[in-house]
Amino acid sequence: MAWLYLLSAGILEVVWAFTMKQSDGFSRPGPTAITIVTMVGSFALLSLAMRALPLGTAYTIWTGIGAVGAFIVGVTVLGEALTPMRIAAALLIVSGLVMMKLSAH
């Protein structure tokens, strides 16, 4: 169950990052409200996952899901650049996540 909490927390991190961008510096109430609610949810789920998972594993995977997810949303939804260097960086993050998962006890 801890891994499901962690995956959900990571997905919510992507949502809050996207809606924070859409909030235009917290000047738009709708995206701002979604940002705050999903931030709280993400942190709550991360804390539940940390009951069973090591700190380093949980935090690394949570931030990795957020980083790669935000990269994907940026490219697919916001039209950000998809360059070989950015793809390589995302692949390195994913490989680190896999290694962290495999090393978890």
Side-chain angles (χ1 to χ4, degrees):
M1 196 67 168
W3 288 103
L4 184 58
Y5 290 147
L6 188 57
L7 176 63
S8 300
I11 291 168
L12 287 178
E13 185 182 7
V14 175
V15 173
W16 70 251
F18 173 72
T19 57
M20 183 185 289
K21 173 79 170 164
Q22 299 305 305
S23 77
D24 195 27
F26 298 119
S27 65
R28 297 179 57 217
T32 297
I34 295 169
T35 299
I36 292 166
V37 168
T38 54
M39 275 183 170
V40 170
S42 181
F43 282 110
L45 289 167
L46 175 61
S47 73
L48 290 174
M50 284 183 172
R51 288 181 176 175
L53 299 173
L55 167 66
T57 300
Y59 187 75
T60 300
I61 290 178
W62 178 69
T63 58
I65 291 169
V68 174
F71 165 69
I72 292 168
V73 169
V75 168
T76 60
V77 177
L78 300 175
E80 294 176 358
L82 182 64
T83 64
M85 184 87 68
R86 293 185 82 205
I87 293 168
L91 290 173
L92 286 170
I93 292 169
V94 170
S95 67
L97 298 179
V98 170
M99 289 175 64
M100 192 62 75
K101 165 69 170 103
L102 293 175
S103 71
H105 300 298

